Amino acid sequence: MNGVQEDVFGELRTTFRSGRTRGVAWRKAQLQAILKLLAENEDEIFDALKQDLGKHPVESYRDEVGVVKKSATNALRCIEKWMAPQKGRIPLAFFPARGAIVSEPLGVVLIFASWNFPISLALDPVIGAISAGNTIVLKPSDLAPKCSSFLVNTMPLYLDPEAIKVVEGGKDVAEQLLQLKWDKIFFTGSPRVGRLVMSAAARHLTPVTLELGGKCPTIFDTLSSSSDLQVAVKRVAGGKWGPCNGQACVGIDYVLVETQFAPVLIELLKKFIKRFYGENLKTLENLARIVNKHHFDRVHNLLKDPKVAASVVYGGSVDEENMIIEPTILLNPPLDADIMTEEIFGPLLPIITLNNIEESIQFINSRPKPLAIYAFTKNDSLKEKILQETSSGSLTFNDAIVQFVCDTLPFGGVGQSGYGRYHGKFSFDTFSHEKAVLHRSFLIELEPRFPPWNNFKMEFVRLVYDYDYVGLMLLLLGLRGIFRRH
């Protein structure tokens, strides 16, 4: 174990035990500091994202800076309400008594951020941990080195350096951090690494939140209205290639559509790809690049299978030097090929045709539970079947990705796509322990002397538990003297 990591952990534990982070003033000050950090360093953030991922400033603001601003602003507005004890209803059997649910911070938490949204997926969980009153270690991804360096160098200038630390490094540093006994671990990344994190956490019985991924399907029903169809295809094109050029855990992985409707969908997708991103590889714009050579080769290799290559109906060109892959549409690639069994995490979009759109439910259920399902349909019956017969982290009708930025809805996976949830109040809850608090009175007491009133007392207690209403409370008061005498 690296002594530096132990020293960092020890300082954070000392700070937490001092109680400084529990007060609302400290929490608000840190949230305001995050907003100030963003406002004063926006251009530097844009530059780091451009260098790491080739993101356009508009994309960087939409998916990174804007997301964090919205989250911090919402937390500032709601923090006192979130912190307030919730009144708990107490059964008549405990009368007179009162109860409450008090949210308390977990302690010292570890947050692993991901490389595809290296600012928002780092700071958004930090906002939740701060709101709940914890001390924090943030480990940015080393695959986005400029953004990682920015966070390491900038956050201590704005946030409490004795309560919030940023630790840079690769796999070895992550392994060292996982040896420590944290009060909570929050991880965003792949299922493969998520298993390692959960295994390490299990040694200390540390609770975890795992924000993973999976193959998120889109069900595209026949839409008779031309305007509805145009909007739907625009949203598919934007949801697939807009966020980090398909390198998004919640992005569209493949589309399910009826056979006779596939040509219409493909032609419209081609139209909007050209309008949004350009005609060919040399004129592409508004698209992030593949993060590094390893991931470029991984995505490119998905296309090298001859049967997969034969299914390409649009795109497929690559620029290895600049690590760019053109938006690519594939029609019915082999279902046993890697492109249909592994998460794509890139700009390739398989379209799978079905005889009937309701077959999509069986298709989805035959695979691991996805992080999200998107369904474009106006058929209420189909909507209800999808809702009732599939399981996913989230389900969005007639749009894609937008549920991720909705603070009033929880975001998280199920099964292989993740464990736990966050965003808005759900982030606060994720980094809090809800403690039950019960206040009893000395006014009423049933003495544990049963004979000769054994049967009567048993029936009375049974009534108290089975019929919890005010009349029994009055009866309890009236019989108080009898119980004390006998």
Side-chain angles (χ1 to χ4, degrees), residues 241 245 273 277 284 287 314-317 325-329 347-349:
W241 293 285
N245 198 8
I273 289 172
Y277 311 114
L284 290 178
L287 280 172
Y314 181 83
S317 299
I325 297 178
E326 185 180 11
T328 302
I329 303 171
L348 315 181
L349 180 63

Side-chain angles (χ1 to χ4, degrees), residues 22-66:
R22 289 177 174 266
V24 68
W26 181 88
R27 304 184 199 199
K28 284 188 171 182
Q30 304 312 303
L31 295 171
Q32 289 164 345
I34 288 178
L35 290 172
K36 185 178 181 182
L37 181 156
L38 296 173
E40 294 181 354
N41 298 276
E42 191 173 275
D43 289 340
E44 189 174 349
I45 293 171
F46 290 166
D47 182 62
L49 289 165
K50 182 71 175 177
Q51 292 187 60
D52 281 340
L53 290 154
K55 291 189 178 184
H56 189 280
V58 173
E59 180 181 351
S60 294
Y61 189 89
R62 181 195 66 197
D63 296 346
E64 307 270 7
V65 175

